[in-house]
């Protein structure tokens, strides 16, 4: 499966962005999709949000209540709606996938994922 992110950009404090993770090569329904980010000078964090093909979701405490992950299987796309953005949300955001048959729960750690997109930059100005 190939993953392509889009929707990043520059937004002011408190603003919103919606990121898209378009998949190709396989049905997104076959995969667990996670969103990750890497801030300048820092390592990649654990998953911000994860979407299972059965509708289950996971949110990290840092984004709970502000970010929403959703998927449109017909469009083979997973979305990350980000609201109430803060300067500390500035990072490169990347989606990743792992075949749903290979995991028994929603994985949080990056090394559990097999496929990665190129990432999209999100910058939040204060």
């Amino acid at each position: 499966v190939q993953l392509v992110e889009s929707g990043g950009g520059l937004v002011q404090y408190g603003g919103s962005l919606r990121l898209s993770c378009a998949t190709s090569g396989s049905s997104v329904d076959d995969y667990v999709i996670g969103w990750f980010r890497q801030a300048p000078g820092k390592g990649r964090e654990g998953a911000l949000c994860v979407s299972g093909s059965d509708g289950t979701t996971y949110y990290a405490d840092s984004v709970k209540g502000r970010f929403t992950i959703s998927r449109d299987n017909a469009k083979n796309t997973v979305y990350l709606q980000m609201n109430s953005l803060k300067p500390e949300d500035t990072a490169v955001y990347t989606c990743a996938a792992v075949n749903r048959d290979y995991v028994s729960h929603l994985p949080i750690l990056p090394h559990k994922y097999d496929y990665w997109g190129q990432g999209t930059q999100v910058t939040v100005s204060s």
Side-chain angles (χ1 to χ4, degrees):
V1 64
Q2 292 79 46
L3 308 171
V4 178
E5 302 93 340
S6 61
L10 175 65
V11 64
Q12 290 187 332
Y13 179 91
S16 298
L17 281 175
R18 188 178 79 158
L19 306 183
S20 299
C21 174
T23 69
S24 61
S26 297
S27 171
V28 72
D29 194 43
D30 292 334
Y31 293 88
V32 173
I33 304 292
W35 280 98
F36 294 81
R37 69 185 177 189
Q38 187 165 7
K42 296 186 178 181
R44 179 172 285 151
E45 301 177 32
L48 301 172
C49 311
V50 182
S51 169
S53 58
D54 59 356
T56 55
T57 56
Y58 160 84
Y59 293 93
D61 288 343
S62 59
V63 303
K64 198 174 294 182
R66 299 190 300 126
F67 291 10
T68 302
I69 191 170
S70 62
R71 59 168 69 201
D72 185 334
N73 289 339
K75 295 184 178 180
N76 281 319
T77 300
V78 175
Y79 301 99
L80 181 63
Q81 177 67 43
M82 305 187 297
N83 299 328
S84 302
L85 284 163
K86 308 172 184 179
E88 51 264 44
D89 293 318
T90 295
V92 175
Y93 284 71
T94 308
C95 61
V98 59
N99 190 295
R100 65 180 182 179
D101 293 332
Y102 297 165
V103 294
S104 57
H105 58 277
L106 299 181
I108 300 172
L109 298 177
H111 75 270
K112 297 291 188 181
Y113 289 79
D114 297 318
Y115 306 96
W116 292 82
Q118 293 292 96
T120 185
Q121 176 70 46
V122 171
T123 303
V124 184
S125 63
S126 56

